[in-house]
Amino acid sequence: MRLINSIVATASRHAVLCVLLFLVLGGLGLGYTARHLAIDTDTDHLFASSLAWRQAQIAEDKNFPQFNDLIVAVVRADTPEEAKETATALNAALQADTAHFKDSSYPSGDRFYTDEGLLLLPTDQLAKLLNQIVAAQPFLGQLAADPSARGLLDGLALITQGVQAGANISPYNQAIAGVRANLQAAANGKPVPLSWQSLIMAGAPGQGGAEFVLAHPKLQQGTLQPGGEATKALMAIAKTLPDVKAGRATVNYTGQIPLSDEQFASLTHGLVLGGIISVVLIALWLYLALRSWRLILPILLTLVMGLALTMSYAAIVVRTINLISVAFAILFIGLAVDFAIQYCVRLRAVRLMEPELGPALRETSRLAGAQIALAATATACGFLAFAPTPFVGVAELGEIAGAGMFIAFFCTISFLPALLRLFRPHPETESVALPGGAKADHFLCRHRRAVLGLFGALALAGLWGAVTLRFDANPLDTKDPNTESMRTIRSLLADPQTNPFYADALAPNLDAARALADRLSQLKEVSQAISGATFVPQDQPQKLAMLAQAQTILAPTLLAAATPPKQPVTAQEIRDAMAKTIAAITNVQAKLPKGSELLGIASVLKQLQGEDDARIMAMNEAITRFLPLELQNLTRALQAKPITQDNLPASIKADWFLPDGQVRVEAFPTAAAQTTKGLYAFSKAVLAAAPNAGGPAISTIATAGTILSSFKEAAILAFIAIAVILLAVFRNLRDSLLVLAALALSALLTALFARMAGMSINYANIIALPLLLGVGVSFNVYFVMNFRSGMRNFLASATARAVLFSALTTATAFGSLAASADRGTASMGDLLFLSLAAVLVSTFIFLPALLHTLADARKA
């Protein structure tokens, strides 16, 4: 206590020198900070690398580095051919752009899938596909001999012969419907390409869906969005691609790099405007609390100085802050302002009796210095309790914010008094007690038992809230859903094979990989499991024999496809073919069901017959654009060769095999695994079958476990540390328990409020806990220490006024978080706001009622 008084007296006596020393120190610190404080946006670094699951994650990243630091371009188009065409062109352009990209790949564009892909199908599916192709041989033969609209129309005429003979053409309904739609588009003057891949090879690997181009960008380290320039370059390239320009294809992006970049952009979005609004509101609360700019400016300058010094500490000791520890600035403002407000409001009360500023400063330090010191120490312990935990993000936040509390306290008893001496606030002429406080005290005193009974019920309800409060382990739920990468990844969740929450494991060889994939596939939580062994399929002799047989049957067709047409078709020849096809369909009209697609084709052909040559030839070009390519692909697919591990493409080997022979096995979740409950079930089931499994699903659940255990550990440490400090200062068990009881009630009320608001806990907003400890301890310490000094009008005191406006300024700081575009940060602000409300309810209602009860018991 003497030390605090001495520091205040020295600072106020040598005010100019003190302010200059702080300004020099702050300026040097900010200069050092600008050069040395870095920001790490990699969420993997939020957790200690010594954790078992992090070790597994690091090993997987080392084994398969091609899956790290990616921008994933997702290509979709109206037809599979256009999607592949666009993806191929995009991949080539990205490979050529060495200024922005290290490399780029288009995995499913490998010729392996065209040449050997049919061998990857299960035997029964392959048989079904080949039967469909063989059954369509007459139709295909016509097309191979005449790859034009005329050949297509002649093929449709052949189908009518089957109808005439009583054949069932229902298997062709989907294909006929596709042809009708394309003819109708051409008749409407908007011809579109026909997907022959979907017609001829329906069911083959790689049909439909999105195509993925994987790019490793050259990152601009030290910037807020290291992959931003590469992402812009990708989208600029995409806009130049023909199918994209024509509106037939789209290119979107996602991946670790843009997700990280966009999350940080969300964090900083509106930061300046939000900061300005927060400062204006804080200044308003300060005015209502202090009524003098001569008091307000010193507080604001003290906050700025304390924040500058805390940032300097972070630059010197921590050096790199992360997506969580960056919140220390908001927490510092929200908490440190309390110390300065307490000092200045108490100074106003002192100056009612002691108008002279010098003696008033010393008297204020005598009355409030110890209280602020205890509040700062207890708050710092609440933060520092997180430093030993493996949740590095919050551990760093705790270390910085904990040190910041001591820095803020030192600034409050040195820099602030010096500034006050220079600004010379006027003496007080009216009471600074909280208006209405006396009536509130009287009410709480009269109804103290009822109030305590009510809070007993609320505590029980809070226990229910704490038990039932849900933890959301899905990291996607903490990101801004309106960013490009989040919209893209959300669009992929419906397909289990593109769900980002997969699991993988390593098996020692191909046989073990097959066995493990079979075990995983049988789990109800798993939609499909594949491995490196999937690309070296079983039953190859049988499948090759089936392909050879189909090739023999289709030999005339394939030979005709390999022979280019002698001369191009003319518009009149196409019109003649239309007339023949219309006549053929009309002849079997009676045998066709109502609404038959063949009847629709006849109607469209009648419309097309009257069109000019340009429209007819445009239709011909659209219909046949991808036909030659698909006939070539069919030829290659039927000539498949045996697949061995040795002759697999290098890209597939790199993705599925390690040099020591280990084979990667990957399990895809069902749609239910998109929820936290589903992820837990999927992770548990996979780990039971493969204890060494890793991957995003496993690490996500392990992350949740680490977070929860870290906060349980830190909460216990914080309560113990705070209890020890209170006992050491109070030397009284009862008074220490008063602070801890109010603190515990605040925690229960926070859980109740969050549960009633429908909130869930996530890795971002869970840091409300250390702040709850800090604010709760500070406010409760002030009231209990006033009680110890004999005060009985708790809410009518200057302390209550200071606590209220301190809470309002803190709430304003948190409000800027709640308005963030980043959902994790916004949920952090929401929960911090609720926890602050819980603290205020506990401090202003529960604690005074309890203290009145104790005072009454003491009288008795």
Side-chain angles (χ1 to χ4, degrees):
M1 188 64 199
R2 291 197 196 95
L3 178 61
I4 295 174
N5 292 337
S6 176
I7 293 173
V8 171
T10 302
S12 61
R13 188 165 50 250
H14 304 286
V16 174
L17 178 60
C18 178
V19 170
L20 289 176
L21 286 174
F22 266 99
L23 290 175
V24 170
L25 184 61
L28 292 174
L30 286 176
Y32 183 89
T33 301
R35 294 190 302 272
H36 296 89
L37 185 62
I39 299 176
D40 184 359
T41 60
D42 191 337
T43 54
D44 288 340
H45 297 163
L46 295 177
F47 303 92
S49 58
S50 58
L51 292 166
W53 65 268
R54 278 286 290 134
Q55 288 288 316
Q57 189 179 54
I58 292 169
E60 184 173 5
D61 291 346
K62 182 179 179 180
N63 289 331
F64 303 101
Q66 64 270 35
F67 300 140
N68 300 328
D69 297 332
L70 284 171
I71 299 177
V72 179
V74 181
V75 181
R76 294 183 177 90
D78 293 345
T79 64
E81 290 93 334
E82 288 170 300
K84 291 179 180 296
E85 186 177 70
T86 301
T88 300
L90 177 62
N91 183 50
L94 294 181
Q95 289 177 344
D97 185 2
T98 56
H100 294 102
F101 300 96
K102 300 175 184 176
D103 57 60
S104 174
S105 63
Y106 172 31
S108 64
D110 197 296
R111 291 298 308 181
F112 170 82
Y113 295 102
T114 301
D115 296 350
E116 322 296 339
L118 293 181
L119 292 178
L120 303 180
L121 290 173
T123 305
D124 57 342
Q125 290 185 26
L126 177 60
K128 181 179 178 181
L129 175 61
L130 292 177
N131 287 336
Q132 291 175 357
I133 295 173
V134 170
Q137 184 194 16
F139 185 74
L140 290 176
Q142 190 68 44
L143 289 169
D146 184 4
S148 69
R150 178 181 59 189
L152 171 65
L153 294 170
D154 290 344
L156 290 172
L158 285 176
I159 293 178
T160 64
Q161 295 179 16
V163 174
Q164 188 70 49
N168 177 22
I169 66 166
S170 59
Y172 303 102
N173 284 344
Q174 184 176 355
I176 296 172
V179 172
R180 185 201 59 76
N182 278 69
L183 290 172
Q184 184 65 66
N188 295 338
K190 298 179 180 179
V192 295
L194 178 62
S195 174
W196 289 98
Q197 178 178 315
S198 300
L199 297 181
I200 297 175
M201 300 289 282
Q207 295 292 308
E211 299 292 327
F212 299 93
V213 177
L214 313 180
H216 287 103
K218 290 184 176 179
L219 301 178
Q220 295 179 309
Q221 301 294 351
T223 63
L224 297 181
Q225 298 180 55
E229 291 301 316
T231 302
K232 290 178 183 177
L234 184 149
M235 294 310 295
I237 291 171
K239 291 178 181 178
T240 67
L241 303 178
D243 289 323
V244 175
K245 292 172 68 175
R248 301 279 303 166
T250 61
V251 178
N252 303 104
Y253 62 83
T254 187
Q256 303 104 314
I257 296 301
L259 281 170
S260 177
D261 285 348
E262 289 175 350
Q263 182 171 28
F264 205 82
S266 296
L267 286 170
T268 56
H269 178 70
L271 190 62
V272 174
L273 178 60
I276 293 173
I277 294 174
S278 294
V279 169
V280 170
L281 288 175
I282 287 173
L284 173 62
W285 304 135
L286 291 175
Y287 172 75
L288 294 175
L290 303 168
R291 302 287 182 175
S292 171
W293 67 269
R294 295 176 184 270
L295 292 171
I296 294 172
L297 280 180
I299 288 180
L300 293 177
L301 292 173
T302 302
L303 274 180
V304 172
M305 180 57 66
L307 182 59
L309 295 178
T310 302
M311 291 175 65
S312 304
Y313 171 85
I316 295 170
V317 178
V318 180
R319 297 184 180 179
T320 302
I321 57 177
N322 54 59
L323 290 172
I324 291 179
S325 60
V326 73
F328 81 87
I330 297 293
L331 299 187
F332 178 89
I333 293 172
L335 292 172
V337 72
D338 172 60
F339 305 155
I341 289 177
Q342 282 291 334
Y343 190 92
C344 287
V345 171
R346 301 288 279 275
L347 175 64
R348 290 186 64 194
V350 168
R351 295 194 74 188
L352 284 171
M353 298 175 290
E354 176 54 72
E356 288 296 323
L357 182 59
L361 288 172
R362 292 190 292 274
E363 177 63 13
T364 301
S365 69
R366 187 186 69 80
L367 293 174
Q371 294 184 10
I372 297 173
L374 178 56
T377 303
T379 302
C381 286
F383 281 114
L384 293 173
F386 289 84
T389 68
F391 190 3
V392 174
V394 174
E396 288 182 359
L397 174 66
E399 183 179 352
I400 298 171
M405 293 303 96
F406 289 118
I407 292 171
F409 169 69
F410 181 72
C411 289
T412 301
I413 63 171
S414 55
F415 189 59
L416 179 59
L419 288 173
L420 290 171
R421 195 62 183 262
L422 294 178
F423 278 82
R424 298 182 178 277
H426 300 302
E428 294 297 327
T429 58
E430 58 184 29
S431 173
V432 296
L434 187 65
K439 292 182 179 180
D441 271 319
H442 180 67
F443 177 86
L444 290 175
C445 185
R446 281 188 60 189
H447 302 283
R448 54 190 177 278
R449 291 182 177 84
V451 170
L452 293 179
L454 174 62
F455 275 99
L458 288 175
L460 292 176
L463 283 173
W464 165 80
V467 171
T468 60
L469 196 60
R470 185 173 66 92
F471 185 87
D472 186 355
N474 189 339
L476 297 180
D477 291 340
T478 65
K479 301 180 185 295
D480 181 359
N482 298 314
T483 62
E484 170 73 11
S485 57
M486 275 300 299
R487 287 194 300 268
T488 302
I489 203 168
R490 288 289 184 190
S491 71
L492 300 173
L493 291 177
D495 184 354
Q497 292 192 25
T498 57
N499 191 305
F501 298 110
Y502 61 85
D504 52 21
L506 290 174
N509 51 54
L510 281 175
D511 290 338
R514 285 195 181 94
L516 178 56
D518 288 342
R519 288 200 304 275
L520 292 172
S521 296
Q522 294 171 10
L523 299 174
K524 69 180 188 324
E525 296 85 1
V526 175
S527 65
Q528 182 186 15
I530 62 174
S531 71
T534 303
F535 300 91
V536 187
Q538 295 179 306
D539 303 324
Q540 287 193 59
Q542 180 183 356
K543 294 177 182 178
L544 288 168
M546 294 165 62
L547 292 175
Q549 183 181 16
Q551 184 182 20
T552 300
I553 296 171
L554 296 171
T557 298
L558 300 177
L559 180 61
T563 305
K566 295 180 180 180
Q567 59 185 11
V569 69
T570 66
Q572 186 55 47
E573 289 171 337
I574 295 174
R575 285 193 184 90
D576 293 342
M578 287 181 185
K580 293 178 182 178
T581 303
I582 292 171
I585 295 174
T586 302
N587 288 338
V588 296
Q589 183 173 354
K591 295 186 177 183
L592 292 172
K594 187 178 180 180
S596 168
E597 292 292 346
L598 277 176
L599 295 175
I601 286 178
S603 177
V604 176
L605 291 178
K606 290 176 183 178
Q607 181 181 349
L608 275 167
Q609 274 186 311
E611 300 293 344
D612 58 28
D613 289 359
R615 184 164 293 190
I616 295 293
M617 296 311 294
M619 177 271 289
N620 177 72
E621 182 179 354
I623 287 288
T624 60
R625 175 177 168 183
F626 296 118
L627 176 57
L629 174 64
E630 197 54 39
L631 290 173
Q632 292 173 21
N633 288 341
L634 175 60
T635 301
R636 298 174 68 102
L638 293 176
Q639 296 172 350
K641 299 295 188 293
I643 304 172
T644 65
Q645 185 175 344
D646 292 333
N647 66 14
L648 281 173
S651 59
I652 294 179
K653 285 184 180 179
D655 288 350
W656 293 97
F657 299 89
L658 291 181
D660 62 2
Q662 292 187 87
V663 185
R664 189 165 73 94
V665 181
E666 191 165 270
F668 299 100
T670 61
Q674 294 180 28
T675 65
T676 296
K677 183 178 179 181
L679 277 176
Y680 273 106
F682 175 72
S683 177
K684 182 179 179 181
V686 170
L687 287 172
N692 69 334
I698 307 300
S699 62
T700 295
I701 297 306
T703 296
T706 299
I707 291 171
L708 292 174
S709 64
S710 294
F711 273 84
K712 289 176 183 176
E713 174 188 340
I716 293 171
L717 287 175
F719 264 86
I720 292 174
I722 291 171
V724 169
I725 291 171
L726 292 174
L727 285 169
V729 174
F730 289 160
R731 301 183 184 275
N732 183 302
L733 180 60
R734 184 205 64 184
D735 293 345
S736 300
L737 290 176
L738 286 174
V739 175
L740 295 176
L743 189 59
L745 180 63
S746 300
L748 293 175
L749 289 179
T750 299
L752 176 61
F753 293 165
R755 185 69 175 81
M756 292 174 65
M759 293 185 64
S760 58
I761 303 298
N762 55 55
Y763 80 88
N765 66 24
I766 200 169
I767 70 168
L769 178 58
L771 187 97
L772 169 67
L773 295 175
V775 175
V777 167
S778 296
F779 292 175
N780 296 328
V781 160
Y782 299 140
F783 275 60
V784 172
M785 291 191 77
N786 285 345
F787 174 75
R788 285 167 58 88
S789 66
M791 181 183 291
R792 296 298 178 265
N793 295 320
F794 308 108
L795 301 183
S797 64
T799 300
R801 183 187 186 93
V803 166
L804 176 62
F805 284 100
S806 173
L808 289 173
T809 54
T810 303
T812 300
F814 298 160
S816 64
L817 294 176
S820 172
D822 180 73
R823 288 204 297 185
T825 304
S827 69
M828 183 196 310
D830 291 337
L831 193 56
L832 288 172
F833 195 86
L834 289 179
S835 68
L836 182 61
V839 168
L840 282 177
V841 170
S842 177
T843 302
F844 274 81
I845 303 176
F846 167 73
L847 187 56
L850 183 58
L851 293 176
H852 282 304
T853 302
L854 292 175
D856 187 58
R858 181 178 292 177
K859 291 177 183 177

